[in-house]
Amino acid sequence: MAAGRHYQKDNPEIDPLESVVTKSNVATFNNGKSVSAPNSRYTKPEASKVPQALFVIYSGGTEREKDYFSLIDKNKELFPFIRIAFHADSNFEEGGKPSIVRFATEKTKEYQESASKENTDHYFLITDVDHFEQFLPAMQQECNASNIELIISNSCFEVWLYYAEKSNRPLDFVIPQNKLKISSSFKTWANTQINGGLKPTKAIFNIEQNIANAKNNYVEEYGFPTLFSTQMFRLAEQMLPFVNDGLEQLRSEIERRKIEHK
């Protein structure tokens, strides 16, 4: 790794390699319920192992997008080979352009200044279509110029969460005539289609199924996803090798608890 890197630019006073899964830590899973993470049942990584990748994720959404990655961020001991740096900004600049684009390109330059050749950094900007549609071509160009991968969900991030549970396109959803209402209407509808509603912290446990469903239903036109298509599978495919083992340990723990409580 480059000297002084250690994946802690956002807050250099905090050591991101320290164990965060303690008796008092809580991991949110199992239908949204909070369950204390028992150290004794997890396989701890060797002390010499360090993160192999930093995923820098910029988003115009501040809630569900962040929640989706929170399990990894809060349980670093279970995911020793990856660090997540999440930056959200839902604001717009003068003229209606989303400020997250400017922020992402400037922040990426800071990261790249100390990037390590041995440990690859990955940069992603997650965006919806609903309010950003007219800006997508320009956003694509700016992201390409800064080595940021633009990840678009049409019409919203909840399309990705929907495919964590469902394998078919949501053809029963009645599309509003007003395009700007599609996102909010879809979120309400999708919550009624999935047992327990859309749960970002739960969806990541279905990441492989999620990838397959999203890819099978992906359609694009002129290089951009059509309605009910999401490019999130591209990010997830790159992240999967770094998180698969940790997710499997958590799945096993969930099953063990279910058996104990029968």
Side-chain angles (χ1 to χ4, degrees):
M1 297 176 65
R5 183 47 184 267
H6 303 308
Y7 298 122
Q8 58 178 13
K9 290 182 187 175
D10 293 322
N11 189 348
E13 297 179 356
I14 298 176
D15 180 8
L17 301 182
E18 66 182 357
S19 172
V20 295
V21 183
T22 65
K23 292 181 180 179
S24 61
N25 285 131
V26 171
T28 303
F29 49 78
N30 198 7
N31 294 322
K33 296 180 181 179
S34 297
V35 183
S36 297
N39 286 346
S40 61
R41 296 188 179 274
Y42 295 121
T43 303
K44 294 184 179 181
E46 297 176 11
S48 61
K49 292 182 178 180
V50 295
Q52 297 175 346
L54 171 67
F55 276 53
V56 182
I57 299 170
Y58 309 105
S59 174
T62 61
E63 296 181 7
R64 283 181 168 166
E65 292 87 341
K66 184 176 182 179
D67 288 344
Y68 182 78
F69 300 99
S70 64
L71 187 75
I72 299 169
D73 185 54
K74 294 177 180 178
N75 294 280
K76 294 181 175 68
E77 182 173 316
L78 290 176
F79 304 99
F81 299 116
I82 185 172
R83 291 294 175 266
I84 303 289
F86 188 92
H87 304 279
D89 184 355
S90 59
N91 297 317
F92 286 79
E93 298 175 329
E94 185 176 351
K97 182 179 179 181
S99 58
I100 187 64
V101 182
R102 175 181 53 79
F103 175 82
T105 53
E106 293 177 355
K107 193 68 176 177
T108 296
K109 290 179 182 178
E110 296 179 18
Y111 280 108
Q112 291 173 338
E113 288 176 358
S114 62
S116 167
K117 294 181 180 179
E118 294 78 18
N119 298 283
T120 306
D121 292 352
H122 306 258
Y123 306 95
F124 303 93
L125 197 164
I126 299 175
T127 185
D128 297 342
V129 166
D130 54 354
H131 293 290
F132 299 115
E133 186 171 11
Q134 63 177 311
F135 303 107
L136 291 180
M139 290 172 67
Q140 184 73 76
Q141 291 182 355
E142 292 182 64
C143 285
N144 289 343
S146 297
N147 197 32
I148 301 171
E149 187 168 352
L150 185 63
I151 302 294
I152 306 168
S153 292
N154 193 348
S155 63
C156 54
F157 184 75
E158 283 72 12
V159 171
W160 169 251
L161 300 180
Y162 171 86
Y163 285 130
E165 301 284 346
K166 301 292 184 178
S167 60
N168 298 321
R169 293 176 71 83
L171 299 179
D172 293 335
F173 171 66
V174 179
I175 303 173
Q177 291 185 343
N178 185 342
K179 282 187 174 182
L180 294 180
K181 292 184 178 181
I182 294 177
S183 178
S184 59
S185 296
F186 179 80
K187 294 172 186 177
T188 300
W189 178 84
N191 271 314
T192 67
Q193 302 301 304
I194 296 174
N195 185 26
L198 298 172
K199 301 290 185 182
T201 53
K202 179 185 176 184
I204 197 166
F205 285 101
N206 297 336
I207 186 170
E208 293 177 274
Q209 172 181 302
N210 209 160
I211 291 171
N213 291 342
K215 289 180 73 172
N216 289 338
N217 290 285
Y218 184 76
V219 180
E220 68 177 37
E221 188 174 20
Y222 306 114
F224 296 98
T226 60
L227 186 62
F228 306 136
S229 293
T230 174
Q231 298 174 340
M232 267 296 297
F233 67 86
R234 297 176 180 173
L235 189 162
E237 283 183 321
Q238 296 179 60
M239 186 174 68
L240 182 59
F242 301 104
V243 303
N244 206 25
D245 288 347
L247 289 174
E248 186 56 40
Q249 289 194 63
L250 285 173
R251 291 189 195 103
S252 297
E253 176 64 16
I254 292 172
E255 291 304 314
R256 183 190 68 81
R257 288 171 178 267
K258 287 182 179 178
I259 293 173
E260 284 187 352
H261 287 85
K262 281 186 177 180

